[in-house]
Each structure stands twice: as C-alpha cells, then as structure tokens.
Amino acid sequence: MSVKRRTFLKGTMATSALGAAVGTGLLQPRAAIAAWSEKAFSAKKVDEAIAGLFGNGATKESGEIKLVAPDIAENGAVVPISVTTSLKNVETISILVEKNPAPLACSFNFSGPLEGYVSTRIKMGETSDVYAVVKAGGQVYSTKKTVKVTIGGCGG
Amino acid sequence: MASGTIKIKAALSGDITEVKALFQHDMETGQRKDAKTGEKIPAHHIKEVVCQHNGKTILTCDWGVAVAKNPYLSFRFGGAKVGDSVKIQWTDNKGDSDSAETKIG
C-alpha cells in the first residue's frame, strides 16, 4: 500500500471538510469508495451504511446472490458467511448485520478477474438479519437471511 | 510491524485459483471492558487487506470491528497459472501491518 494513500486516509479522518465535500457530491464517488469509509462503518442503520458506501441506501432484491450462513449460530463471535453471486461485473460485495451496533461488517472491492465469491467469518451480537450487498455493473443488489444467535452457546 | 501473522493457501483448479487466508489478529471491538479495571478496551482491528496476483491488486477488503477474531478470508480468481505469486497485506487501525506471499500450487 502506497504511503500516499495512507496519508490520504488519515487526512480524511482528520478533516470532516472532505467528508462534507463527498457528501455534497463535489468529489467523484470513486474517490470515496477507494478509501475505508468512516461514514459507512460508523452508521447505525443498514440503509445508512449502504448509503455511506454507495451514496444511496436503496438496493434491489436479487435472486442472483446466494448468502450462505448458518440458520443458528451457537457462537456469535464466529459466524461463517459466504456470498456467491452470478451477477456480472461485480465491483463490491459487502456484508451487513442489521442488529450489530454498527451494521457494516466488511466490504470487498474487486479490481481483478475475480469470481463472484467471498467467504469470511463475522461477529454477531444477537439474532439478526444478515445482508449481502453486491454492486455490479453500477447497480446495487442485495439479499438477506436471518441468523439466530443462541446466547450462552449451548444450543436451543 | 507484525510478522508471521498470515497463512495463505492458493490452489489452481481448472481455470480458477482459490485463495484461503488466515490472519492472527485480536479484532478488538472497542465495546468490551477490561475485567479488572472496568475500562473499555479500545478498538483494534484490521482495516484493510490488499490481495495481489503477480504484483497487481485484485481485491481490497475494508473491514470493521465485526470481522471475527483471527479473521478468515477466501476468494477465487481467474487468469492465473501454477507458480504465480499471491501476496496479501493487512493494515490495522493503529497502523500496524504484515504481509505474506505464496506461490499458486
């Protein structure tokens, strides 16, 4: 990672002026996407987090996204999540947990010949809907699944 | 600078290379309290993971505190052959970082 980008990142966090500039559309959205989005990661609601990533909180339900997550997660600290999509020209895949203090868990930005697939493990504070949001060909699509988190981790 | 915190496997199957990586990192959420002092433990998490194939960035991951401790990442890509390099680097919110490289097998 280049030093320039690190510096840029620090700069964005230090001054809210740039954030405001992005918000009002003075800068190209591309520049906003390129850096870790403080706005998206600190948002308290799913649509605000999506808006923080893409400038607009609206998504289109898509059957072309497959979200693989357990029906019941006995340990909310480690919940395996896989997202597979047959959508073409995938730009980003993001995973959000509606009832986490900050819903956006992670975002994956594609810049090479990747298959529409990512897999990771996330934390969930409680039973919640999990969203997989895919930006492909300039459109933002989503799907969701409810994952039940059992407190105490002893089943039931 | 951390070291030895990343394990990568990259395997070619047909036209597709599957990469699996494991990172050692606490991924502290900033919401837990220290059991002794009762003070909040500050957030400490990987923010960015950059994945490169033969030096070209193919995937950049932005992570928040909700990625599980000792994170796991898997992705698949095309256009590679056996012996190509796959490099992965993480950077956390305190500026610490580590990188590791492997050859596609």
Side-chain angles (χ1 to χ4, degrees), chain A residues 6-99:
Chain A
R6 287 284 99 199
T7 321
F8 171 76
L9 208 58
K10 275 179 192 157
T12 20
M13 293 200 275
T15 65
S16 59
L18 183 56
V22 172
T24 51
L26 290 171
L27 287 174
Q28 289 298 312
R30 193 72 220 165
I33 290 164
W36 196 87
S37 170
E38 190 70 38
K39 191 181 162 199
F41 277 100
S42 60
K44 305 285 179 226
K45 287 187 177 155
V46 168
D47 55 348
E48 286 170 12
I50 295 170
L53 288 173
F54 307 117
N56 186 337
T59 63
K60 204 173 148 189
E61 283 256 345
S62 172
E64 290 186 75
I65 307 170
K66 200 172 140 207
L67 172 63
V68 180
D71 293 328
I72 298 174
E74 298 211 347
N75 182 0
V78 186
V79 184
I81 305 277
S82 293
V83 180
T84 312
T85 177
S86 53
L87 290 162
K88 299 287 174 227
N89 302 316
V90 174
E91 294 165 44
T92 70
I93 295 180
S94 305
I95 299 168
L96 297 96
V97 181
E98 187 171 25
K99 291 193 179 160

Side-chain angles (χ1 to χ4, degrees), chain A residues 5 107 109 111 115 120 123, chain B residues 27 48 58 60 62 66 72:
Chain A
R5 182 161 165 196
S107 209
N109 308 300
S111 54
E115 297 286 293
T120 187
K123 294 172 202 156
Chain B
M27 300 300 285
E48 186 179 75
I58 53 172
T60 310
D62 293 336
Y72 168 78

